[in-house]
Amino acid sequence: MDRELRREAVVFSRYLVRAAPSEALIERYCAANRELFAHEAPSAADAAVLAFARDHAWAVAPLDAGHALLGPASLLRKKLLVMTAILETTPEYAARTEPRAVALPMLGLRLAAAGVAMAAGAAAGLALTLALRHGK
Amino acid sequence: MGSDPDVLVVGSGASAVNAAWPLVAAGLRVRMLDVGVRDERYGNLVPDGPFEEVRRTDPQQHRYLLGDRFEGIGFEHLGAGAQLTPPRQWVTRDADRLQPLASASFFPLQSLAEGGLANAWGAGAPAFCAADLAGYPIAHADLAPHYEAVAARIGISGARDDLWPFLGPLDAMQPAVACDGNAGAILRRYARGPDRLHRDGLYLGAPRLAMLSRPLGDRQPTRYWDMDFWSDAGRSVYRPRWTVDDLRRSPRFAFVPRRLVVAFADGPDGVTVTARDLDAGTVETHRARRLVIGAGTLATTRIVLRSLGAHGTRVPLVCNPHTYAAMLNLGRLGDAGDEPRHSLAQLCVVHAPRGPAAPFTVGHYYSYRSLLLFRLLKGSPLPMRHGLAVLRLLSPSLGVLILQHADRPTPAKYCELRAGGAGGDDDVLHVEYALSREEQARIDAVEADIVRGLRRLRCLRLQTVRPGHAASTHFAGTLPMSRRDAPLTTAPDGRLHGTRHVYVVDGSVFPDLPSKGLTFTMMANADRIATLLARSLGALQSAHT
């Protein structure tokens, strides 16, 4: 169990901030999972998605995008939210979530780029999510 | 506990302490009975410092920002208590267990904390004006001196701006605390052409806040650290427990914690109160000449219904319907939003198409920062990584407009006490609350008007969230003030009709609620009732000596 959680912590952190988490953050992620999710077994669909994400780190981004639309309350999204919260409340990552000034044209460009990336991720994610759901 | 006091006060929240104050000041002996739950976990963990500095330097921040049990993450829908960060969650500890409540439609926050629910309030402190008090048997002139007394005691900041006629006159007011750049940008656009907005009934200005802009006693003005959801740095935001601390300095005041008041019995010479000692598990009695109940509307109602044997009797209940509107301030896009700020309401919005003499709607605009970005991602359809990047760019322009609509009693809003075990302290308060189609339509129309007005100020609504009934935590109207001597109502002087020595000082006595936070008026009314009571007891004392 802990091995799976530790693997999730690493995969999710790399996805969210492109960096491997420290041992303390991995421990914190495991503790949060024990506190928040240990009381009920995951559904078969949730378990399949998480297992796939653990084994295929590249798939986390499209799966997140797919589940943001198809399964916002899925276990994957909840676990990603937990890792996001843990990273946001860690000094070494705080600066990455602080707002900063940006010129309006640059803001427009960045939002547009994010929109394109999200649309592409969602397209791939929807297909992957549906495939995993039906193939479980 | 010595000899019997003159007055027993039940509760230690905003009403109770501001009733106790004039009684003690008048020389009366006061005993306050309260469960008095206190913070035992997070209070000492939160460092003194600005939010940004804490985020960058404190390796322990996850303990209070997320909670030791990660209770600050939470996956449930936004509802009552959404504003309770882990360091504030002690406020509701034990309350539901010791005060059982059942409802399919109404999920209130209850508190047995020392200082009550105002340990976590938003500190909005508008006064009721004449239009707000139209259905009350008291006038603004009755409350005016008590608004001043309470404002001087607790510290209220505000401005003499366009909102003055709506938020009530107040001489004992500190200058307004400064708003942040997000609200400042909206106010600047408003100032360029207010007349057109006024014609549409929209007025903007500084909120009235129980937050200091100047020192008051040993309390400090806000340091603009943006930590107000997490700590009580400098005690700049008023909490009733500051008044409990001040009262404790008087030899005439006794605070008796760990007591859950169960019932009272009104006798010919005074009143007897039954309370459960939560540590010893025993039941004890307290006697006094008068009883003042300020336990909070739901708890007070429970005590009164049980004491009068009114199980099964329906009493009315009102509660401001509550809406959150997420806003994007286009005039602020691209800004870093890194100026010092406090965390509470930055701006007050009033929708008054018929002016201050007719009912109007009040909203408060909060900038979004210190509640962290992950909370926004929870309900968003964005993937986490890109969502974080987008929110990082937009968060200085994000705001939350909180609207609390007026509420009046109807047959669809009521509570009743149903008998539990033999001791009576596990009776269950059943609550039903529903808005009629007409009430909801009125709310929708007002909100559409406000959103249209704010759009002219380049503020766009992104999303509307209705967090459910009771989310405003403004409960009232169960024992309404009335000149008519009817059962389960109170006289204008706070006395519970049908009793001689029992007074109610909290929101229970408000017959209806205008679109304003009631806490400041509750405190002023408690001060008024207690001042009248002190006078009458003083007069009685003189007659006996």
Side-chain angles (χ1 to χ4, degrees), chain A residues 5-93:
Chain A
L5 291 177
R6 294 177 67 84
R7 174 73 185 149
E8 281 174 19
V10 172
V11 168
F12 291 169
S13 177
R14 284 199 174 128
Y15 160 59
L16 290 165
V17 293
R18 298 178 196 277
S22 65
E23 181 59 27
L25 291 193
I26 294 174
E27 284 298 324
R28 199 171 300 154
Y29 178 80
C30 294
N33 272 267
R34 284 192 291 269
E35 190 66 52
L36 298 170
F37 306 124
H39 56 280
E40 59 179 307
S43 68
D46 278 336
V49 168
L50 283 168
F52 192 82
R54 279 193 299 269
D55 293 343
H56 306 86
W58 59 266
V60 177
L63 283 174
D64 180 22
H67 282 78
L69 299 173
L70 290 181
S74 63
L75 194 53
L76 173 75
R77 287 283 289 179
K78 287 179 177 171
K79 286 182 171 229
L80 281 168
L81 186 77
V82 168
M83 196 66 209
T84 306
I86 287 172
L87 291 166
E88 193 180 2
T89 53
T90 308
E92 51 266 44
Y93 297 109

Side-chain angles (χ1 to χ4, degrees), chain B residues 294-376:
Chain B
T297 294
L298 299 174
T300 293
T301 304
R302 184 187 302 269
I303 293 168
V304 168
L305 293 177
R306 185 185 295 127
S307 304
L308 301 183
H311 292 86
T313 304
R314 288 182 181 182
V315 292
L317 175 69
V318 290
C319 180
N320 296 118
H322 197 67
T323 300
Y324 296 105
M327 310 293 295
L328 179 67
N329 180 3
L330 294 178
R332 173 78 165 170
L333 285 176
D335 203 291
D338 51 0
E339 71 281 345
R341 74 173 78 173
H342 64 80
S343 319
L344 303 184
Q346 302 290 333
L347 194 64
C348 185
V349 179
V350 170
H351 175 256
R354 290 183 290 152
F360 50 84
T361 301
V362 178
H364 287 93
Y365 182 90
Y366 290 71
S367 294
Y368 194 93
R369 188 174 71 165
S370 66
L371 289 177
L372 303 168
L373 295 186
F374 80 86
R375 284 173 212 273
L376 294 178

Side-chain angles (χ1 to χ4, degrees), chain B residues 222-457:
Chain B
T222 179
R223 284 174 266 190
Y224 298 99
W225 279 354
D226 201 7
M227 288 293 285
D228 304 295
F229 290 126
W230 309 98
S231 74
D232 291 316
R235 295 186 164 200
S236 61
V237 175
Y238 176 71
R239 312 281 178 207
R241 63 181 200 278
W242 311 155
T243 304
V244 176
D245 289 345
D246 289 341
L247 284 164
R248 279 185 170 118
R249 293 184 192 129
S250 168
R252 295 187 295 280
F253 177 80
F255 183 82
V256 186
R258 305 295 294 155
R259 300 305 193 275
L260 180 70
V261 169
V262 179
F264 62 78
D266 190 36
D269 302 317
V271 66
T272 304
V273 164
T274 308
R276 189 145 61 96
D277 180 332
L278 295 176
D279 291 330
T282 54
V283 172
E284 60 188 25
T285 55
H286 299 257
R287 290 184 184 77
R289 297 161 66 197
R290 298 289 184 275
L291 169 64
V292 169
I293 312 180
T297 294
L298 299 174
T300 293
T301 304
R302 184 187 302 269
I303 293 168
V304 168
L305 293 177
R306 185 185 295 127
S307 304
L308 301 183
H311 292 86
T313 304
R314 288 182 181 182
V315 292
L317 175 69
V318 290
C319 180
N320 296 118
H322 197 67
T323 300
Y324 296 105
M327 310 293 295
L328 179 67
N329 180 3
L330 294 178
R332 173 78 165 170
L333 285 176
D335 203 291
D338 51 0
E339 71 281 345
R341 74 173 78 173
H342 64 80
S343 319
L344 303 184
Q346 302 290 333
L347 194 64
C348 185
V349 179
V350 170
H351 175 256
R354 290 183 290 152
F360 50 84
T361 301
V362 178
H364 287 93
Y365 182 90
Y366 290 71
S367 294
Y368 194 93
R369 188 174 71 165
S370 66
L371 289 177
L372 303 168
L373 295 186
F374 80 86
R375 284 173 212 273
L376 294 178
L377 284 168
K378 204 179 338 186
S380 93
L382 306 178
M384 298 287 171
R385 185 170 72 201
H386 293 301
L388 264 184
V390 167
L391 287 174
R392 193 178 173 201
L393 292 170
L394 296 183
S395 64
S397 326
L398 293 180
V400 179
L401 179 67
I402 300 182
L403 293 164
Q404 288 164 345
H405 297 275
D407 197 25
R408 293 184 176 282
T410 70
K413 305 168 191 164
Y414 64 88
C415 54
E416 66 178 80
L417 193 66
R418 296 187 188 161
D425 49 353
D426 51 358
D427 294 343
V428 178
L429 194 66
H430 282 251
V431 179
E432 291 297 331
Y433 186 98
L435 293 173
S436 68
R437 207 172 292 170
E438 292 74 24
E439 287 176 312
Q440 191 58 59
R442 210 160 33 239
I443 288 171
D444 293 343
V446 166
E447 289 180 0
D449 255 12
I450 293 173
V451 165
R452 223 177 356 256
L454 289 175
R455 205 180 299 141
R456 289 207 191 125
L457 297 170

